[in-house]
Amino acid sequence: MLTYTIRRLLMLIPVLFGMTFVVFFIIRAIPGDPAQVILGQQATKEAVAQLTEKLGLNDPWYVQFFHYVKGLLSGDLGESLRSSAPIKDEIWPYLAATLELSLVAMFIAIFIGVNAGIISAWFQNSWFDYVAMILALIGISIPVFWLGLMEQWAFSLELGWLPSTGRENVRDPVEVVTNLYLIDTLIAGRFDQFGEVIRHLILPSLALATIPMAIIARITRSSMLEVMRSDYIRTARAKGMRMFFVVYKHSLKNAVIPVLTVIGLQVGLLLGGAILTETIFGWPGIGRYIYEAIGFRDYPVIQSGILIIATIFILINLIVDLLYVAIDPRIKYN
Amino acid sequence: MKRNSSLFVSILVVLTLLLTACSGGNKEKAVDKSETTEPKAGGTLIYGRGADSIGLDPINVTDGESIRVTHNIFETLFVYDDKLELQPKLAESYKVSEDGLTWTLTLKQGVKFQDGTDFNADAVVFNFERWMDPANPYHKGDFPYYPFLYGGFKGDPNHKIASVKAVDASTVEITLTEKTAPFISYLAIPMFGIASPDAIKKYGDKFYEHPVGTGPFKFESWSRNDKVVLKKNENYYVDGQPYLDEMIFRVIPDNSSRLTALQSGEVDIIDGLNPDDADTIKANSQLSLIERPSFNTGFMVFNTQMAPFDNVKVRQAINMAINKKELIDAFYNGYAEVAKNPFPSSLWGYNDEIEDYKYDVEAAKKLLAEAGFPDGFKTELWTMSNPRPYLPQPLKIAEAMQANLKAIGIDAEIKTYEWATYLQKTGEGEHPMALYGWTGVMADPDNFLFPNLSNTNIEKPASNRAFYNNEEFTKLLQQARVTFEQEERIKLYKQAQEIFHQDAPWVTIGHTTPPMGLAGYVQGFNAHPMENDNFAEVYLTN
Amino acid sequence: MPVLAKRENETNELQLEEAVSPWREGWKTFKKNKVALVGSGIVLFFIIIAILAPLLAPYGINEQQLSIRNNPPSSEHWFGTDDFGRDIFSRVIYGARISLWVGLVSVAGSVIIGCFLGIIAGFYGRWIDTVISRIFDIMLAFPSILLAIAVVAVLGPSLQNALIAIAIINIPNFGRLIRSKVLSVKQEEYIMAARAVGMSDGRILFHHVLPNSLAPIIVQATLAIATAIIEAAALGFLGMGAQPPQAEWGKMLADSRQYIIQAPWTVLFPGIAIMLTVLGFNLMGDGLRDALDPKMKS
């Protein structure tokens, strides 16, 4: 187990290094000059040339790459070209915003998805089963950005129930400590703002949760069905144990593995797929941060941003794999 | 078949629900707009905008969103007012020597920076030293506007400033190396806000996160891509001002979402309104609509060195084929003046005697035939993918122009690139026709004409994206640059506009007057043509 | 990678059973699966619409009439008009062509390249396998939409380049699938025996690997088409796909979203079209999986 973990962690290194390399080249292949964009339309040719030199963009690619990687190894993510701020200072608020949104979305997806899956399996072929599974099918087929637009239109423009953009009531902000506003409002003891933060989270997190929710519901249902047909559940039922207890205790434990896999994969989608959701709901998250950086050709920001997302994604999947063992001793590692 | 039908029914039910939801409308309560004449102190104003500031040190930024904020923290020595007239701000008056080289500025007295230190001649000298001297320990950053105006930094052969001296506490003497008529207007450019020397020394290269100036608002906090919070400067030198306690600039990237935020009271002022949404604001009795006076031009450049656009008749024919009026009505919702000259009529030197090309499909076809293209030709129409202030909906403008061109037989394929790529590729002259535009930073026709049309700027990467090469035209611009008499300059620029009209290197489209939405209780706001909005006099009546 | 020991055994048993007549068996199961038939019906419906678009659409995709901008649905314009006064119904119909084209072609590209790389990795093993597998790992660690955005940014925005970008991001899925098939076939005792007496790789490939992999590839491809259509729409939505005046659903959404208050129909119908098409492919893919490849069902 320990050797497996270590091996997996070691395997991370070539992947992340390769990725850094790939990103480094892809973004430099994009036409457009960072210096020109930073200086704007009015800039003179001389000013652009001067800035290009100053930003080190005239150095040969291997020098630039070496500098960047050397920085990375000493924990330096580089400096943003456009704001000249160190990325490690700049990135956390964005990352926190995305994490907050993704975690809430994941929570919704798991909570609703797993329960809907269980109930569907439990009352197989009932109307609930049909409706839930049809909704789940629609859920995996709906374009998130369209769903987001429709939510915004219905619940905020037409009905006016929920705010359409942002993270908090800006008029009365709470002091930022962690940048996770759910926590910050609690630290400040501001329960009114805590409620506001939740209200702001509902629409974007629902949009973001839809696909994982649908997938989790479907997987939970099918693995539950499989488990419920097994002998020991039948025996348990025959023994007259309370059905509810049977379902939740025994079956869930067995159904948890495929669900876990899905969760691992979906976290990656949430982190990256948040770009569209973040754009529509004005959420200052990391997806938008990177997307905007592409517009500015802010090379270090794109590189480090993608690197961080990928690292999180890979680590989460590692944790998921390790959890398998903890949950199901039948699983072996090769 | 039972299962099948239930699936279909369910889908239908969902669709019907969605569709019926369409028919609902916005309900608004009518509210009496209580007109108070007396400004009232207090309250927080939230400004909803499309993008975040890049930095908060004005000398090191070029983007409007940074300046929008810094212009309220920092003040310049002089300032352009809403009418584009020069007014003193931190300076009280100026004198210029006989030879036109030595400028003596008298400063306002009793002004303090927000950190409590004094604003005086030494502070001005300190700022100039920081801006112009690469060897200065506080010269950290790019200072892009400085060499743009003053020909380079200290030590460069073309640097225009010989010395900046403090004569006494409230007098500064600046000596130039050559006659520069618009020197005072340089001082009014908001990038040249005077910063607190103490703060610069204290924060060093982190100054862009800790700006300290003399303005009506002081910096409080900045969460990137989300909001910048400014607090009232209690010691502001104008009595009673600012009225607001707090000012928040909030980023809402999407235009429609920003409007929604205004409607729901999440923000109080928004810019970057979709022209079509202006009607939504007009219809809402709780909101009011204002138009920002125009200070830009949206246009389409021909690559005049690429066939067939090297033929003036082709260019003129296309000028006649574009229905500008209809474009502006549809995609600016009327929030633009039709453009016939390269710069807007609000700027001096505008030649109103020029008669624009008339929209006339037949005449255009005829001219095209004369040019040797009776059946039209195939070409490309380039456009940037992101909205710009002068082209709020570039893709749609391109689509409509494409249809216009089709009518005279020109088959133009639309190519879009996002901004950075676009700047590069058009600078290299890869485009046959390309949408472009310009926002003025100085109230001087030179700022519109010289970068975009002078033949000194056609070497790639070119800022003259039409690659318009007319020696006579360029001569006029150069002459106007060294002429001091205003009347004479106006004459020269008017002449230049005539040549421009004849040669038709562009299709001028429009000068936008971007609409903004305000909550009804926001008073005292004047939209500045250059977007240098000052909020000192803004107050809330709610 | 973790391996479910128990499942692995099941898999092999099923594979042998299936070998009898998997396709006929599969068709039978598929026919019985009504949800899958509905899905295929939807897909067929959109294919017909796409083919017959010029006959079905009452107006051209770029027939502008600025006097009737953003008009609500009516008897002349069933889905209303957009901000150019163009008929949304016609544009939605033509949009089917673009979305299906992008979906089918990009997935075909991913399948071909993915299979090629997967086969090489599986057969030749050693460092080639390591390199290809790491490349797949790298690609999978990317948020796919960001990778697509980057590829389009490099190539320049156009429908064709969006298609290429989508094809690229889906390659590792197919590559991994085939690679694992090759590896598992190579492990079979009879194949090991055959190799020992000199059976060529080509023969193994064509007689054992590909027949075994076809079913899962078809299933995976059908589902991938669904994803590809959404991804194309997302790129179109971000302005990095179809160019004006092409009627691409995602782009139609992007162009109309600013009118969502005044003219919700401009946003509603393209979105429904995307959803239905994707739903069709998803249902069909589900059905195919149940029919052809029951063991894939988790």
Side-chain angles (χ1 to χ4, degrees), chain B residues 303-491:
Chain B
N303 188 335
T304 58
Q305 299 193 347
M306 189 190 274
F309 304 108
D310 51 354
N311 185 334
V312 67
K313 284 186 176 160
V314 172
R315 303 197 299 260
Q316 288 173 335
I318 291 176
N319 261 289
M320 294 175 190
I322 304 296
N323 190 345
K324 297 182 190 177
K325 183 81 179 56
E326 196 181 70
L327 282 183
I328 285 177
D329 285 345
F331 300 108
Y332 295 78
N333 201 14
Y335 292 101
E337 294 166 35
V338 171
K340 60 179 182 185
N341 285 327
F343 56 86
S345 58
S346 53
L347 187 57
W348 56 269
Y350 185 80
N351 191 342
D352 212 8
E353 280 142 40
I354 282 172
E355 208 176 308
D356 200 8
Y357 292 99
K358 265 213 179 64
Y359 173 60
D360 187 341
V361 176
E362 286 316 310
K365 273 185 183 166
K366 223 178 108 202
L367 202 55
L368 205 58
E370 273 175 42
F373 300 96
D375 306 317
F377 50 86
K378 270 180 84 93
T379 184
E380 285 171 9
L381 170 56
W382 287 29
T383 171
M384 62 292 256
S385 53
N386 324 59
R388 311 286 309 166
Y390 37 78
L391 286 172
Q393 312 199 60
L395 283 163
K396 298 193 172 187
I397 296 286
E399 273 188 86
M401 286 177 86
Q402 186 185 37
N404 279 169
L405 291 168
K406 188 97 199 155
I408 61 164
I410 297 175
D411 198 359
E413 187 192 336
I414 294 177
K415 285 220 155 178
T416 59
Y417 294 99
E418 56 71 75
W419 186 235
T421 311
Y422 197 73
L423 279 178
Q424 187 177 42
K425 284 183 176 282
T426 52
E428 293 295 333
E430 294 175 29
H431 57 286
M433 296 190 284
L435 291 178
Y436 202 61
W438 196 256
T439 304
V441 287
M442 269 183 287
D444 196 312
D446 182 74
N447 185 244
F448 278 85
L449 301 177
F450 205 83
N452 290 311
L453 290 162
S454 138
N455 72 5
T456 54
N457 286 322
I458 58 174
E459 195 189 315
K460 292 165 187 174
S463 64
N464 177 348
R465 285 174 162 81
F467 295 89
Y468 175 54
N469 187 353
N470 183 323
E471 193 56 40
E472 190 194 350
F473 179 87
T474 305
K475 282 254 163 65
L476 287 172
L477 297 190
Q478 280 166 336
Q479 205 183 330
R481 273 193 158 183
V482 294
T483 306
F484 273 70
E485 294 72 31
Q486 184 78 351
E487 286 307 309
E488 193 55 35
R489 293 188 76 195
I490 289 176
K491 231 183 261 169

Side-chain angles (χ1 to χ4, degrees), chain A residues 30-33 36-45 47 50-51 54-55 81-86 89-90 93-94 125 130-131 134-135 137-138 146 150 152-154 156-158 162-168 170-171 173 176 179 181 200 278-285 288-289 292 294-297, chain B residues 3 6-7 10-11 14 18 21-22 24-27 44 46 52 54 62 141-142 144-145 147-148 153 156 206 208-209 223-227 246 248 250-254 257-258 260-261 263 265-268 388 390 418-421 423-425 436-441 447 451 459-462 465 521:
Chain A
I30 304 175
D33 179 0
Q36 170 78 64
V37 187
I38 290 167
L39 295 180
Q41 253 180 298
Q42 297 262 359
T44 56
K45 227 182 292 184
Q50 238 170 25
L51 183 60
K54 195 164 161 186
L55 295 174
L81 295 184
R82 76 189 137 135
S83 69
S84 26
D89 300 347
E90 210 177 75
Y94 295 112
N125 299 334
Y130 285 128
V131 172
I134 287 165
L135 285 179
L137 271 169
I138 293 175
W146 184 65
M150 284 293 149
Q152 228 176 18
W153 170 61
S156 125
L157 297 176
E158 293 293 333
L162 292 165
S164 59
T165 59
R167 296 180 68 188
E168 55 164 355
V170 187
R171 261 173 229 290
V176 172
N179 275 297
Y181 284 7
H200 280 83
E278 285 172 1
T279 307
I280 288 170
F281 290 99
W283 197 268
R288 235 181 76 210
Y289 179 53
E292 282 176 10
I294 294 178
F296 277 94
R297 305 291 183 272
Chain B
R3 265 200 213 174
S6 71
L7 177 82
S10 312
I11 291 174
V14 174
L18 282 167
C22 293
N26 257 347
K27 288 148 214 109
T44 298
I46 304 181
D52 198 12
I54 285 176
T62 57
D142 309 327
Y145 264 72
F148 169 61
F153 291 110
D156 291 345
K206 290 264 185 254
Y208 71 94
E209 279 183 333
S223 27
R224 282 182 185 275
N225 243 358
D226 188 15
K227 61 182 189 290
E246 197 178 33
I248 297 172
R250 202 185 136 189
V251 182
I252 307 176
D254 178 57
S257 310
R258 211 175 312 121
T260 313
Q263 287 170 313
E266 291 165 53
V267 298
D268 306 307
R388 311 286 309 166
Y390 37 78
E418 56 71 75
W419 186 235
T421 311
L423 279 178
Q424 187 177 42
K425 284 183 176 282
Y436 202 61
W438 196 256
T439 304
V441 287
N447 185 244
E459 195 189 315
K460 292 165 187 174
R465 285 174 162 81
Y521 48 77

Side-chain angles (χ1 to χ4, degrees), chain B residues 100-170:
Chain B
L101 292 180
T102 307
W103 300 72
T104 311
L105 310 175
T106 310
L107 306 180
K108 211 170 243 141
Q109 294 189 12
V111 176
K112 280 193 188 306
F113 287 108
Q114 291 146 2
D115 57 7
T117 55
D118 286 329
F119 163 80
N120 52 31
D122 288 335
V124 174
V125 173
F126 182 92
N127 273 276
F128 265 94
E129 290 293 339
R130 173 179 181 240
W131 297 337
M132 68 186 189
D133 186 1
N136 186 291
Y138 307 108
H139 184 91
K140 297 254 171 66
D142 309 327
F143 300 84
Y145 264 72
Y146 189 85
F148 169 61
L149 295 173
Y150 296 107
F153 291 110
K154 194 170 178 177
D156 291 345
N158 297 326
H159 187 221
K160 281 188 193 169
I161 295 188
S163 71
V164 182
K165 279 188 304 221
V167 177
D168 59 46
S170 61

